[in-house]
Every structure is written in C-alpha cells, then in structure tokens.
Amino acid sequence: MTVTARDIAQELNLSQPTVSRILNGDRRHRIAEITRTRVLDAARRLGYQPNAVAQSLRRGRTHIVGLYTNHNYDARNDFLGTIIGSLQRACELQGLDLLLHSALLGRSTEELYGKLRDGRIDGLILHASPDDPLVEMLGACSLPVVAIADRLRTLQAVTCDDADGIRQMITHLWRKGHRRFAFLAPEMTLASVDRRRDAFESELEQRGVAEQDRRVLSIDFEKADAVLEALLMNALPTAVCCWNDRAAYNLLRACLAHGVRVPEQLAITGFDGFTDDKIPSRHLVTICCPWEKVASTALDLLTRQISSRSGDAEEAEGSEICLPVTLVTGDTA
C-alpha cells in the first residue's frame, strides 16, 4: 500500500499541509525543527516515497533533459556514443536524467515535435541537419534548446573549431611534403562538415594548390572504402582528409586489404579523436575534439535557459561557443 502525506499527518496528528511542506523541502514557512524531524523519521519508518509526477506538476520541472538526433545512427556510433556518455556524466553532476530521442523509428516531423513538447523534458540537446524542418519548429517554440556539434540558425550552440582543425591538418600534411589532396565528405548536410570542407578548399587555395589537386569526393556517410578505386586512378592524391575518424578507419582497412601502403602510397587522416581497437597496430592522424567539454558546456547553457525561461533568450539567440581542437599525430600520415 502506498504511503501518502495524509497517512503521515494522521500518524503524527499534524495537518497535511505542514507534512507536505516538510516532505517537499519547502522552507518558506516557519516549522519547528522537532516537527520536521518527526515527519522525516515517520516518512522513513513508514516507507514513504514521493510522487515524482505530482512533484513535477507542482514545480513545473521534470529534471529530465532530452537528446535528439535526426541522423540515421544509433548509440554504437563513435560520435553519438561519446556524446551520450558525456551528457550522462554531466547530468549526474547536476541531478538530472537524460532521455534519448531519435528519428530511427520514422516518425513524422509533427509527431516528433509533439513528443519533444509533451512536458516530459525540461529542455533539449539537439544534433540535426540545418535543413530539418524540426529545427525551425523548435527554434520558434518555448522549449529550451541547445544545438551540439553543429550550429543551427537561431539556436544557441556548442561546437568545435572545425576550420582550425582542418588548417592544422593541412599544415601537418604540407610539412610532410604532400601537394595533392582529397577531402571525403558525406552526402548528408552537416554544418560542421561544411566548415571542414570550406576550410580544406580555402587553405589549399591560399597555398597555391590547383583545383584538380584539391578534390572533394562524396561518400555514403562513413563508407570511405567505396571510393578507394577512384583514389587509385592516375591523378591519385597523396593525402586524404576524411570528414570523421570512422570514415578514415574504413578507408585504412580497405587499403590494408588491397595492399595499398599507408602512408607511403596514401596518407589518411581523420577528424574527431576516436580510436579503433580493431586496428591496434595503427595510430590514426586526426583532430581531437573535446567532446566531453562540448557536452558539459551544452548542458550548462541548457540549464541556464531552463532556469531563466526569459529575457536572455533574445540576446543568446544564435550564439555559439566554439571550443579549440588539437592535432594528434600517428603513423597514417
């Protein structure tokens, strides 16, 4: 049988409002400490458990934040798994729970919007393409939202310095003597990838590299191995910059399978800072992004939005915190 505040009040011959205030931690009313102690002792003795739903309705807070991605990958993906784990740790420090949402079930935009706005979450961490209609809908509603990894129009965002990461990578490859390059980008639209591709082309153009020697090739998400044949044609680039580490590892695996020597014949670099335990003998040259810091910073911004729900929103609209990245050297380039 569920023990209620009314039961405790009857047990101690106190008023229910007094017991409810003590159980809810309300110290705005003067209550004798001996009374407070009696109520809390009785609650423990009788096995009282607070009703989380009722408390949420009273306080207007659920202490749950959501994470939504519209991309077709799950928690086993390097990036998403790292973001989820980092957010879980950050939430634990703030006494929050994390609720995951995704587009994997094929729900309509309206259905997803309804689920995100149904009161179960206090705010949302969002990772989505800029052309997703849900982005505009969320940007126009009262739900606190912070974009992560990719900037999204009018939303606050926490990102990594994609452009500087590519500049660091090009500088490293240039010092190694490379003068013919390729950048492998996914077919889907991501603001971070756009920045990396733009920095790739701009940096090489400034260094005087001809257009035919700084090619951009499209791949199906992370399937970089599918373009190995194209890379092995006569106009072979000597260095390939992949949009993320998983694409780089897939290309590296294909090179090993086809006898292409890395980095002697083809230098391969990634971006993100992940490792692949399936190829322990190789160390990918990559750009390390501080994903844990990205996640904790995004959560801090979100909790501030949740607490204020007000006038700072206009000033913060579209603002971006861009965190620095670092080059990690290895044996693939």
Side-chain angles (χ1 to χ4, degrees), residues 199-271:
F200 171 85
E201 294 182 315
S202 174
E203 181 68 17
L204 291 177
E205 183 179 11
Q206 290 179 25
R207 291 176 182 267
V209 177
E211 190 172 344
Q212 65 269 21
D213 290 328
R214 46 181 171 89
R215 293 181 293 165
V216 175
L217 301 177
S218 294
I219 59 175
D220 179 8
F221 193 42
E222 297 170 336
K223 297 179 181 178
D225 51 322
V227 299
L228 179 59
E229 184 176 347
L231 293 171
L232 294 177
M233 294 171 63
N234 291 334
L236 173 73
T238 63
V240 177
C241 300
C242 297
W243 75 277
N244 75 354
D245 287 338
R246 180 52 47 199
Y249 281 120
N250 288 339
L251 180 59
L252 174 59
R253 190 173 291 108
C255 286
L256 296 176
H258 290 83
V260 179
R261 300 191 310 279
V262 177
E264 293 82 5
Q265 288 178 270
L266 189 66
I268 298 175
T269 69
F271 205 113

Side-chain angles (χ1 to χ4, degrees), residues 271-288:
F271 205 113
D272 281 337
F274 302 127
T275 59
D276 189 338
D277 295 335
K278 296 178 181 177
I279 316 180
S281 61
R282 304 307 301 262
H283 300 282
L284 182 68
V285 177
T286 187
I287 295 297
C288 184

Side-chain angles (χ1 to χ4, degrees), residues 40-51:
L40 295 177
D41 286 345
R44 283 190 290 269
R45 175 167 47 82
L46 297 174
Y48 169 79
Q49 292 292 330
N51 187 317

Side-chain angles (χ1 to χ4, degrees), residues 26-242:
D26 185 351
R27 291 187 173 269
R28 291 174 297 177
H29 298 81
R30 294 184 63 181
I31 299 173
E33 283 305 313
I34 189 169
T35 302
R36 194 180 302 277
T37 301
R38 288 178 64 211
V39 168
L40 295 177
D41 286 345
R44 283 190 290 269
R45 175 167 47 82
L46 297 174
Y48 169 79
Q49 292 292 330
N51 187 317
V53 174
Q55 286 185 339
S56 296
L57 289 172
R58 283 195 299 270
R59 298 173 181 174
R61 292 279 299 274
T62 65
H63 297 285
I64 299 172
V65 297
L67 169 65
Y68 170 76
T69 174
N70 75 335
H71 300 296
N72 191 25
Y73 46 54
D74 59 29
R76 291 167 294 187
N77 176 269
D78 298 319
F79 166 77
L80 187 59
T82 299
I83 292 299
I84 290 173
S86 298
L87 283 174
Q88 285 176 324
R89 288 188 288 274
C91 283
E92 184 177 358
L93 292 175
Q94 298 199 35
L96 302 172
D97 289 315
L98 183 66
L99 181 61
L100 304 181
H101 302 265
S102 80
L104 288 173
L105 297 180
R107 299 187 183 100
S108 68
T109 299
E110 291 72 20
E111 185 180 359
L112 281 166
Y113 179 73
K115 291 188 77 67
L116 295 172
R117 296 277 289 122
D118 66 5
R120 280 183 284 183
I121 59 174
D122 295 328
L124 181 69
I125 301 293
L126 178 65
H127 181 245
S129 299
D131 53 1
D132 185 342
L134 186 64
V135 172
E136 185 173 354
M137 295 171 71
L138 289 170
C141 77
S142 60
L143 179 71
V145 182
V146 173
I148 197 167
D150 292 271
R151 186 171 183 174
L152 295 172
R153 290 193 284 275
T154 60
L155 298 175
Q156 281 189 290
V158 183
T159 65
C160 293
D161 197 336
D162 299 292
D164 184 60
I166 290 295
R167 286 191 290 268
Q168 290 184 49
M169 186 64 73
I170 294 298
T171 298
H172 173 76
L173 293 170
W174 194 267
R175 288 172 178 167
K176 293 281 187 176
H178 296 284
R179 297 297 182 267
R180 298 199 308 276
F181 304 82
F183 182 81
L184 303 189
E187 295 169 348
M188 66 181 183
T189 302
L190 283 171
S192 57
V193 178
D194 289 345
R195 287 178 169 181
R196 295 172 195 180
R197 182 185 57 243
D198 292 346
F200 171 85
E201 294 182 315
S202 174
E203 181 68 17
L204 291 177
E205 183 179 11
Q206 290 179 25
R207 291 176 182 267
V209 177
E211 190 172 344
Q212 65 269 21
D213 290 328
R214 46 181 171 89
R215 293 181 293 165
V216 175
L217 301 177
S218 294
I219 59 175
D220 179 8
F221 193 42
E222 297 170 336
K223 297 179 181 178
D225 51 322
V227 299
L228 179 59
E229 184 176 347
L231 293 171
L232 294 177
M233 294 171 63
N234 291 334
L236 173 73
T238 63
V240 177
C241 300
C242 297

